[in-house]
Amino acid sequence: MSTLSWSSLIFVHVLAATFWVGGQLMLVVVVLPLLRRGASPQLVRELASATGRRFAILTNRVLLPVLVVTGITLAWLNGVRPDNLTSTPFGRVLLVKVVLVAVVFSLAGLHGVAARRLRQRGVRAMAVATLVISIAIVGLGAALAVLPGP
């Protein structure tokens, strides 16, 4: 694979991850706290719900497929095979990252359902847990960038 193709694949993967985690950070750290200070509870719920639905559509239709396809391709081209997922440091870190990605996407899906059924505190806790795990995934990605491939 050419350097340009390899770099492009990494760029698309990192861009999708940046949008996903950055979008969460922007919502949790900037937008929602500002809304809660100045808007009525009803408006906060409506805007949070509309924003969450829009972000979920983008995540499910664009970001998740891009991350999965580019992630699998990068792993395969980097020499990752089922037999070396547990036998090399790179494989083990990647395996933990993949498990956390599955957990965070499951939590994100449950968050949408919970937003309609749970109290605000429970929904907020799920959002924070999703964000914290997402940031851990970025950290694992950084670790993979410096580990030798399998």
Side-chain angles (χ1 to χ4, degrees):
M1 172 172 259
S2 74
T3 303
L4 178 61
S5 297
W6 181 254
S7 297
S8 297
L9 193 59
I10 291 171
F11 174 78
V12 170
H13 188 76
V14 170
L15 183 63
T18 300
F19 197 95
W20 170 46
V21 178
Q24 291 177 70
L25 279 168
M26 186 67 168
L27 288 170
V28 171
V29 176
V30 177
V31 175
L32 290 175
L34 285 174
L35 278 174
R36 286 186 189 109
R37 275 193 228 153
S40 71
Q42 179 63 26
L43 181 59
V44 171
R45 277 191 300 277
E46 288 173 13
L47 287 173
S49 178
T51 304
R53 280 193 308 273
R54 174 79 174 162
F55 193 68
I57 289 168
L58 181 64
T59 298
N60 294 332
R61 292 186 184 168
V62 179
L63 300 177
L64 175 59
V66 166
L67 287 166
V68 168
V69 169
T70 58
I72 290 170
T73 304
L74 285 166
W76 186 262
L77 293 173
N78 208 20
V80 174
R81 301 296 181 267
D83 61 319
N84 61 26
L85 273 174
T86 58
S87 63
T88 65
F90 187 95
R92 287 189 292 271
V93 170
L94 180 60
L95 190 57
V96 171
K97 183 181 175 194
V98 168
V99 168
L100 288 180
V101 166
V103 168
V104 85
F105 278 119
S106 298
L107 276 174
L110 290 172
H111 176 267
V113 173
R116 292 184 288 274
R117 297 190 177 140
L118 291 177
R119 293 180 313 174
Q120 187 175 358
R121 176 176 277 158
V123 173
R124 192 177 305 166
M126 273 184 132
V128 170
T130 301
L131 178 60
V132 168
I133 297 169
S134 298
I135 292 169
I137 292 166
V138 171
L140 291 169
L144 289 171
V146 298
L147 283 172

